[in-house]
Amino acid sequence: MSQTSPIILDCTLRDGSYVLDFQFSVDQTKNIASELYKANFQFIEVGHGIGIGASKKGLGIAAASDIEYCRAANSVVGENSDWGMFCIPGIATLEDLEMVIDENIKFIRIGSDVTKIHESEKFIKLAKKKGIKVFANFMKSYVVKSKDFAKLVSQSLDYGVDGVYIVDSAGGMIPDKLKGFIRDSFSLNPGVTLGFHGHNNLGLGMANALTAIDEGVQLIDSSVQGFGRSAGNVYTEHLVCLLDILKLNNNKIDPIKVMDIGETLIRPLIREVGMSSLDITSGWALFHSSFIPSVLEFSKKNNVDPRLFI
């Protein structure tokens, strides 16, 4: 398929919050979201990394409430860009979703394990009823076969979503495997809007992003300085530069402006450098990093190398 100009969804302020133990402040959210808006990013995601309702569930207490993150983003992101949040059914309630919708949110991403997308139906239908743009994120996409994934895309479209994301949660999908997911999804669902969210556990984030773009995927996630869970995400700086080289930078995002955001606002927050062998092993085994604490506890108790256990 010929290359199309994709839209970047920058998730620095959401996925990147994992790196800070969910401690992005209101002021940091305002400052970073404001600069991303000025740089012409069309979609800017903010809030708790795990999504709305996560602090209430005790899944890492964020520095601010969901409402405070909403209001911070809404105060600086103008009408030429959309800001949004992440929502996992079961962590978030329908009431949580309705609460952020009332704060003028522009898009919501409903994250469901790919084997449990039925849990997203009520959330998608509520958001669509309220006139909100909705994307479905099929977490751990790789645990099903590509043709089954395509059928799940159809199911999610029946719920009313505006687009569906292939999510390489463990950062270990090989580009050829991703290509199969994309082609089967387009074949069964002509005209569907597809997105790709990748991680860098095996250094495949950008290779997969370029594969997705080449196959016609319209939405690509990235974060400034690759700031994100586990081994991090596709680097926004790299992606913007490559789109410029490929003459696919239709949003006219200035690479130097993006580099400045990274150098001044994100790089000072980076404390760990290099690659964790647990992150690499997670990519190797297609194993989600959220299970690492349990692995470490088991391994210590049984004197087993956690990498072998993974």
Side-chain angles (χ1 to χ4, degrees), residues 17-310:
S17 75
Y18 278 96
V19 185
L20 302 177
D21 196 25
F22 315 114
Q23 296 305 298
F24 271 127
S25 68
V26 166
D27 284 343
Q28 285 173 318
T29 298
K30 282 183 180 179
N31 291 340
I32 296 167
S34 175
E35 293 304 309
L36 291 170
Y37 167 65
K38 292 173 188 174
N40 292 328
F41 286 95
Q42 188 168 334
F43 293 120
I44 300 166
E45 192 172 57
V46 305
H48 196 298
I50 298 173
I52 60 174
S55 286
K56 287 198 306 182
K57 288 281 188 179
L59 299 173
I61 308 301
S65 69
D66 294 331
I67 293 297
E68 288 172 322
Y69 285 128
C70 286
R71 292 176 181 172
N74 199 47
S75 68
V76 297
V77 177
E79 61 183 19
N80 294 327
S81 298
D82 291 339
W83 66 271
M85 302 182 91
F86 199 68
C87 170
I88 299 177
I91 293 175
T93 64
L94 291 171
E95 290 74 22
D96 292 328
L97 177 57
E98 195 149 19
M99 180 179 64
V100 300
I101 288 173
D102 289 342
E103 293 295 328
N104 200 34
I105 198 169
K106 301 301 183 185
F107 71 87
I108 193 80
R109 299 213 287 177
I110 310 295
S112 305
D113 281 355
V114 69
T115 57
K116 300 178 182 178
I117 72 156
H118 59 279
E119 296 177 355
S120 69
E121 181 176 7
K122 291 180 180 178
F123 289 79
I124 292 166
K125 288 184 174 177
L126 172 61
K128 290 310 298 177
K129 182 180 178 183
K130 297 282 189 175
I132 306 301
K133 191 176 279 128
V134 183
F135 302 114
N137 277 40
F138 288 0
M139 301 185 296
K140 310 180 189 80
S141 295
Y142 41 75
V143 304
V144 298
K145 295 179 179 177
S146 60
K147 291 190 184 302
D148 292 330
F149 183 92
K151 293 174 185 175
L152 294 171
V153 172
S154 301
Q155 186 176 334
S156 200
L157 290 171
D158 287 342
Y159 296 160
V161 293
D162 296 288
V164 176
Y165 265 81
I166 302 167
V167 182
D168 182 14
S169 304
M173 282 185 86
I174 303 299
D176 273 354
K177 181 172 183 177
L178 174 62
K179 195 179 294 184
F181 275 62
I182 296 166
R183 291 183 177 181
D184 285 341
S185 295
F186 278 138
S187 177
L188 190 61
N189 307 281
V192 65
T193 295
L194 289 179
F196 173 71
H197 179 94
H199 282 269
N200 264 324
N201 297 63
L202 293 183
L204 291 168
M206 184 56 70
N208 279 328
L210 290 176
T211 295
I213 293 165
D214 201 42
E215 292 293 319
V217 169
Q218 301 97 321
L219 295 162
I220 305 291
D221 282 12
S222 66
S223 57
V224 179
Q225 293 278 312
F227 214 50
R229 179 183 56 75
S230 189
N233 305 102
V234 173
Y235 282 65
T236 300
E237 296 93 327
H238 291 170
L239 184 56
V240 172
C241 287
L242 284 166
L243 291 180
D244 209 56
I245 290 169
L246 296 169
K247 303 191 185 308
L248 296 175
N249 185 13
N250 284 3
N251 273 14
K252 306 299 181 189
I253 298 171
D254 182 353
I256 292 177
K257 172 68 173 171
V258 179
M259 292 179 210
D260 287 344
I261 296 170
E263 292 280 353
T264 60
L265 297 177
I266 302 301
R267 194 170 173 186
L269 304 176
I270 297 173
R271 295 290 177 261
E272 293 186 12
V273 295
M275 285 290 293
S276 156
S277 64
L278 285 176
D279 287 339
I280 295 168
T281 307
S282 295
W284 178 24
L286 288 176
F287 184 86
H288 197 282
S289 63
S290 63
F291 300 116
I292 293 292
S294 299
V295 166
L296 292 175
E297 183 181 352
F298 175 89
S299 299
K300 184 177 181 181
K301 189 182 298 182
N302 294 279
N303 197 29
V304 176
D305 186 322
R307 294 166 298 183
L308 292 175
F309 184 53
I310 291 170

